Amino acid sequence: MRKPILASLFAMMLPVSAHADVTLHLNNNVELLAFNGQAHKGTVFGTEEPIVLENGTQQIAFRYVASIEEGKDVTFVKSDVIVAKFDADDEEIHFDFPDVRTTKQAREFRKNPEFQLLDGSDSVVPFAKGTLEKNGFQLSRDYVSELQRFNQTTEPASLQLSATKVVAPVPTVRSGKVVVVDSVGKNEEEYQLHYWYQKADQETKNRFRAFINAN
């Protein structure tokens, strides 16, 4: 009888471990670039999958991207890289952005990026905010390295690594070393492809996927 009892006890413990995390939901306006010391490369087609984080202090870096329809043309206006730091345990986290429909509204958001983070009950999650600003032409950026330098400052969204525990992402990088292969954000062509893919009906999406797979 010992084996069935042990198996039952183990099964009872599984739900506790499985739900001890934070789920960050992304929408079409969010281009997630890095989270908790790890670079993130989003998908071009389809809906971005939620990011699973361990409970505790979280730090994310992302851009807000507004798609502005003007007649038959679509313009994409990107914010600077926004850094947000917040604490969460066993929660679903969602972004809540203002309704941006014009280029003017998008530029105003870029100057003053006001948004909220909400939990599963639509309650506001407090967070600290900052920006990663880079001047001049940039072929690529290493957001993980930029965040490491940012975290050595006294900015409110800084982790202050010497005094704050950094929560590792899932899966945990056991070596303690993060290797950045490609931390470049999406280009204009990717935004256009993603936008029109989302606009298409299912039959068109299937044909497009078949074309991509064949090439």
Side-chain angles (χ1 to χ4, degrees):
M1 295 296 292
R2 179 176 297 179
K3 289 185 178 179
I5 293 174
L6 291 175
S8 299
L9 290 173
F10 181 70
M12 291 174 64
M13 295 172 63
L14 282 178
V16 176
S17 299
H19 291 87
D21 52 40
V22 175
T23 303
L24 177 66
H25 296 271
L26 308 175
N27 57 31
N28 291 335
N29 296 112
V30 175
E31 182 188 357
L32 184 66
L33 302 168
F35 60 94
N36 293 347
Q38 177 174 309
H40 176 73
K41 181 66 174 178
T43 59
V44 178
F45 307 113
T47 303
E48 188 80 48
E49 292 295 325
I51 304 298
V52 179
L53 310 167
E54 291 186 2
N55 285 335
T57 300
Q58 318 293 339
Q59 186 187 55
I60 58 176
F62 67 96
R63 283 195 188 95
Y64 174 83
V65 183
S67 55
I68 311 299
E69 297 185 27
E70 298 173 326
K72 294 182 179 180
D73 296 327
V74 180
T75 303
F76 295 92
V77 182
K78 300 185 293 183
S79 72
D80 290 325
V81 178
I82 301 170
V83 181
K85 182 184 72 173
F86 60 96
D87 293 322
D89 293 299
D90 306 333
E91 291 180 308
E92 306 278 332
I93 303 296
H94 302 263
F95 290 90
D96 182 32
F97 294 104
D99 190 17
V100 176
R101 295 182 179 272
T102 67
T103 303
K104 180 181 178 182
Q105 290 174 333
R107 288 172 178 166
E108 289 175 351
F109 179 88
R110 182 172 183 171
K111 292 179 181 177
N112 185 26
E114 294 293 336
F115 63 94
Q116 291 183 326
L117 296 178
L118 305 177
D119 63 18
S121 302
D122 288 337
S123 297
V124 175
V125 177
F127 66 93
K129 181 177 63 178
T131 57
L132 293 180
E133 297 181 0
K134 294 279 283 187
N135 298 320
F137 174 76
Q138 298 149 7
L139 184 62
S140 64
R141 291 177 64 175
D142 185 340
Y143 297 106
V144 172
S145 293
E146 288 187 36
L147 282 170
Q148 289 173 347
R149 291 190 293 271
F150 179 86
N151 285 328
Q152 295 173 7
T153 71
T154 57
E155 290 286 335
S158 168
L159 288 177
Q160 285 293 298
L161 297 181
S162 61
T164 307
K165 176 184 177 182
V166 180
V167 180
V170 177
T172 302
V173 182
R174 297 188 183 280
S175 65
K177 180 179 180 181
V178 178
V179 179
V180 182
V181 178
D182 181 11
S183 56
V184 182
K186 294 179 183 177
N187 56 33
E188 181 69 20
E189 289 76 14
E190 284 183 277
Y191 287 126
Q192 291 283 353
L193 286 170
H194 181 82
Y195 177 84
W196 291 113
Y197 179 85
Q198 293 296 332
K199 286 282 188 179
D201 57 38
Q202 191 58 50
E203 183 179 352
T204 303
K205 289 179 179 178
N206 293 340
R207 291 201 302 271
F208 188 78
R209 284 176 175 172
F211 171 79
I212 294 297
N213 292 333
N215 291 273

